[in-house]
Amino acid sequence: MASAAQTTTRDSLHDAADQAEAGVRETARSAGATLREAASDVADGAARAGEKAAEMKDAAMDGAADVARDVSAKLKAVGIDTDVMLGAAKDQAGDLKKMIADELAERPWRTLGLAAAAGVVLGFLSTR
């Protein structure tokens, strides 16, 4: 049979354990609330950063369009037609594409060798 002192000690230990468990639960609840709040703050910050990035992109695009218009206007002022230049560049790009396709069709092994050689040279240069 347990003595009164042992019963009191056991009851005190149980009370202390219950208080410790309650403290741990409260700390866990508090930490969870703090983490949820921090996650919400991070999400809000990310959304604001995304909005700011979109605004900066739009401003950059507008600035680039303004510069392109200014350059085109200045070139036209000195007698250079940018529309004609654009057409000529497209024609030359088309001609180059046709020339490459013809070369591939006529000499596939030579083209493959040139591509391999270029790869080796670029590989050596990139390791430096």
Side-chain angles (χ1 to χ4, degrees), residues 67-109:
V67 168
R69 274 193 299 275
D70 290 346
V71 168
S72 180
K74 288 179 182 177
L75 288 173
K76 285 183 181 180
V78 295
I80 299 173
D81 190 357
T82 55
D83 295 331
V84 172
M85 288 178 64
L86 179 62
K90 285 182 180 179
D91 290 343
Q92 288 179 356
D95 291 344
L96 179 62
K97 182 178 175 183
K98 184 181 180 313
M99 184 182 79
I100 291 171
D102 291 344
E103 183 69 22
L104 280 169
E106 292 175 15
R107 298 181 194 93
W109 289 107

Side-chain angles (χ1 to χ4, degrees), residues 11-21:
D11 290 344
S12 295
L13 289 174
H14 283 296
D15 289 344
D18 290 343
Q19 288 176 355
E21 183 181 351

